[in-house]
Amino acid sequence: MRKNIAEDSGPSLKAPQSHQISAVYEDAEGLIELLVTYFKEGLEGGEYCLWVSPDELAAEETKSELMKAGVDVEHYLTSSQLEFLPANPLPEDLTLLASVVKELAEKGYGKTLSGGFSGFRTNFEIKNAGNFLKPCLETCGKFIETMALEKNKSITLLYTIPLEELSGRVLLELMEESNVFAKRKGKLESLRSLEEKIELKNNFLKAKTDLEASNWAKNGLMVNMNHELRTPLNSVIGFSDLLLEGAFGSLNTRQSKYVSNILISGKNLLEIINYLLDISMLETGEKNLNYEDVDIASLLGEVRMSLISFASSKKVSVEVKVDASLENIRADRTKLRQILYSLMNNAIKLTPEKKKVTVSALKKEGMLEIKVSDSGIGLSKEDHERMFMPFIQADFSTTRGYGGTGLGLYIAKNFVDLHGGNIWVESKGEKGSTFIFTLPIK
């Protein structure tokens, strides 16, 4: 049923008629290389190619790489031999994978027959499969084999899977019955022989051990930094506050200015340390949420009060509106507070003097929806996605003076994702921006 790839000078993902291919990759570059090789072979073989591309950036990069490989992408797009599906159709519950694959394959076959193409191929990005991967692929395989026999046309499905999400045991199980490809020694190769499987397993286990050791060392460093830096910083911030309040006598204008600068710098440094600790936990796979009942109105009021001094110093007002019908939600209160703090703090930074920041919360289609609107000069479309990347800030000369690490929104997005929610930004020219996020209420 399964055929080994031919040995040639270039990478290949060739497969027999009616075939499923599993391919593991380590990074975005590896994924793009897989997709380029896979769809190039299909297009050159006269197959109808349906490209599932949930990541717009990766799609553009893959198009570019296809053209570099000598593929006239525009020609195939015009002829409808190559089409794009803008979102991954796979369900979160992978036990439903087979029915979705069957439905998409049937539609692809219909297009193949009506267009007179030699066959059909598409791709699926599988994540968070765990131990369900092998049985799900086996069920999908039965549908595909039956369909290919009935229609007498080739069909090829590529399942791309991040290597980091596969345990050694699941990967070995997958290789026992599937044609699995991986990038080895700079080339895409099928993992066929026992020697190759053992080599990959050893490499996988070594990489996992090295990563765990690295994470352990990094966590130790972050814990020490948490103690050794935050403790003296809290003293700096606390005594600066006392000096400004006149607890040890009044200060003249110049002294007040300098102490105020010390206080602001100390708070900024403490914020950076807190962000780094959060990122460290996220990168080491910390995904625990401590759910509890959260009163949104109370939490919003608490966050507003913690930022009122900063807002007052900028002469910015902060208005909070909570729908009266909104009940408590189940969420991790600490992480939700940080999401709100990051968005509101960011909005205050972007809002000019004597303008307003508006925060609203309501229930919408079974979800909590919170909007944080500033009165700044707005964001360009290019900045909409970039704002949620680490160490990225909008390139506005008017906002550079407010400082910031570019980490707050990145962490907020990760915390929203952990809750199973969504976050995005809307902006209309120079009328400010609105950051919106949704979370399941239950």
Side-chain angles (χ1 to χ4, degrees), residues 12 35 83 107 133 137 152 193 199 222 239 299 349 392 401:
S12 174
L35 294 176
E83 292 189 290
K107 290 181 180 177
L133 181 59
L137 294 186
N152 196 30
S193 68
E199 180 185 346
M222 297 306 291
F239 284 119
L299 184 59
K349 285 181 181 179
I392 295 294

Side-chain angles (χ1 to χ4, degrees), residues 55-68:
D55 188 331
E56 190 173 326
L57 180 61
E60 291 302 320
E61 290 181 3
T62 311
K63 282 184 189 178
S64 176
E65 292 301 318
L66 271 171
M67 289 187 283
K68 289 179 184 178

Side-chain angles (χ1 to χ4, degrees), residues 191-389:
L191 306 176
R192 306 181 303 274
S193 68
L194 178 62
E195 291 77 11
E196 288 172 330
K197 294 178 182 180
I198 292 174
E199 180 185 346
L200 182 70
K201 179 184 178 183
N202 291 338
N203 290 342
F204 178 85
L205 293 176
K206 181 179 183 301
K208 185 176 181 181
T209 302
D210 291 345
L211 181 61
E212 288 174 349
S214 173
N215 285 338
W216 182 85
K218 184 168 66 175
N219 283 342
L221 174 63
M222 297 306 291
V223 169
N224 286 333
M225 187 173 75
N226 181 32
H227 174 73
E228 299 298 334
L229 293 182
R230 289 183 68 176
T231 301
L233 260 179
N234 285 328
S235 295
V236 171
I237 292 170
F239 284 119
S240 298
D241 261 332
L242 289 173
L243 287 171
L244 284 176
E245 290 173 359
F248 307 110
S250 60
L251 304 177
N252 60 40
T253 303
R254 180 176 292 184
Q255 289 170 333
S256 294
K257 178 182 177 181
Y258 291 159
V259 173
S260 179
N261 286 340
I262 292 171
L263 179 60
I264 292 171
S265 297
K267 287 182 176 179
N268 286 341
L269 185 54
L270 184 60
E271 184 178 83
I272 292 171
I273 292 171
N274 289 333
Y275 283 153
L276 290 175
L277 288 169
D278 287 330
I279 287 178
S280 175
M281 287 189 292
L282 288 169
E283 288 185 345
T284 53
E286 175 59 55
K287 296 183 178 180
N288 292 329
L289 294 176
N290 298 314
Y291 282 99
E292 60 181 294
D293 286 332
V294 179
D295 184 332
I296 295 299
S298 174
L299 184 59
L300 282 170
E302 178 185 320
V303 175
R304 180 182 177 277
M305 285 305 298
S306 68
L307 288 165
I308 200 68
S309 177
F310 174 44
S312 298
S313 69
K314 288 199 60 187
K315 300 178 182 177
V316 170
S317 61
V318 180
E319 181 180 346
V320 175
K321 302 175 182 177
V322 180
D323 192 307
S325 64
L326 182 63
E327 68 265 30
N328 290 358
I329 76 162
R330 294 287 294 174
D332 185 312
R333 193 178 193 281
T334 301
K335 289 181 172 60
L336 179 53
R337 185 187 190 283
Q338 188 156 350
I339 295 168
L340 294 170
Y341 182 91
S342 295
L343 296 181
M344 292 168 68
N345 184 50
N346 186 65
I348 295 170
K349 285 181 181 179
L350 296 176
T351 299
E353 286 189 2
K354 300 180 180 178
K355 295 287 186 177
K356 183 171 64 174
V357 169
T358 303
V359 184
S360 64
L362 54 84
K363 181 179 180 180
K364 187 175 182 180
E365 298 177 354
M367 304 285 282
L368 164 69
E369 180 180 275
I370 293 184
K371 297 183 178 181
V372 181
S373 302
D374 63 63
S375 304
I377 61 174
L379 297 169
S380 67
K381 287 186 177 180
E382 293 77 15
D383 281 320
H384 284 194
E385 292 295 329
R386 293 175 67 252
M387 290 298 290
F388 296 104
M389 296 170 64

